[in-house]
Amino acid sequence: MRRWMTWAIGLALVGGAWGVIQVTPTQDDAEAPFPLVAEIDQTATARGFAVTVTDVRLGSRAVAGAWSAEGTWLVVDLEAEATQEETGTLLAHAELVFDDAAYRASERPASLLRTGLTPGIPREGSLAFELPPDVVRGTATLELGVSDDPRLDSLVTLPIDLRALEPADEVELLATGWAQR
């Protein structure tokens, strides 16, 4: 009887250890950002900033003033403002994430990327993503944040169905400036 009891207790402890392993978060889970899902024309407020994506456009040529480039471009128009700090709040994280890849907003055209944000005075402008042609057949998630490293921070996320966008020959980025409300 004692041998049976020893085996039962041993198996229960092994099963309990397996259960603890299953519910323990991984390192990636423990450092994951806090996503706030947004929709087009809906303001999302995260830690330190608020953003409203006003339009998403796809084209084979991006134009920003005198600058232009051929390729597959996704242009995101938005308004953003700081909610806490007077200085130092930047739109530093702008990525388009697919299942297996992430694309950062291009730094080539003048855009809202790394633009300083002020509380109560929204800035408007665009972000441009240069993409491989084959990814426009899927769904992506736009991620926006005020930290280069979004771990343990809030991110505004916006799902985008790229198949639903009508490609244009040319997409022009909005001039970065103060929003006209």
Side-chain angles (χ1 to χ4, degrees):
M1 185 66 112
R2 272 193 136 156
R3 181 172 269 166
W4 175 84
M5 193 71 131
T6 303
W7 277 100
I9 291 172
L11 286 174
L13 290 172
V14 169
W18 178 82
V20 167
I21 289 171
Q22 297 305 309
V23 298
T24 302
T26 65
Q27 184 69 23
D28 289 342
D29 292 337
E31 295 178 347
F34 303 96
L36 299 158
V37 180
E39 295 178 14
I40 292 181
D41 288 328
Q42 172 195 0
T43 300
T45 303
R47 185 199 62 81
F49 77 109
V51 65
T52 305
V53 174
T54 57
D55 198 9
V56 178
R57 299 169 288 133
L58 187 64
S60 55
R61 182 171 188 240
V63 177
W67 177 89
S68 68
E70 302 288 329
T72 302
W73 289 91
L74 181 75
V75 173
V76 177
D77 299 334
L78 54 108
E79 293 181 5
E81 67 181 283
T83 57
Q84 297 174 357
E85 300 291 326
E86 284 291 328
T87 60
T89 303
L90 305 174
L91 187 61
H93 180 84
E95 286 189 351
L96 198 61
V97 179
F98 295 87
D99 291 334
D100 57 350
Y103 298 91
R104 288 189 50 82
S106 178
E107 295 180 4
R108 293 190 294 161
S111 71
L112 272 180
L113 184 64
R114 302 216 175 280
T115 298
L117 304 176
T118 305
I121 307 172
R123 304 279 304 220
E124 71 177 352
S126 300
L127 297 169
F129 297 87
E130 187 172 15
L131 305 173
D134 62 324
V135 300
V136 298
R137 296 185 192 104
T139 300
T141 301
L142 174 67
E143 292 182 350
L144 301 170
V146 293
S147 176
D148 281 324
D149 184 358
R151 293 179 297 178
L152 296 174
D153 202 354
S154 57
L155 281 180
V156 172
T157 63
L158 177 80
I160 301 171
D161 183 1
L162 298 172
R163 295 168 294 210
L165 299 177
E166 189 66 37
D169 292 333
E170 184 176 283
V171 285
E172 188 167 350
L173 280 73
L174 297 176
T176 300
W178 302 110
Q180 304 296 316
R181 287 191 175 183

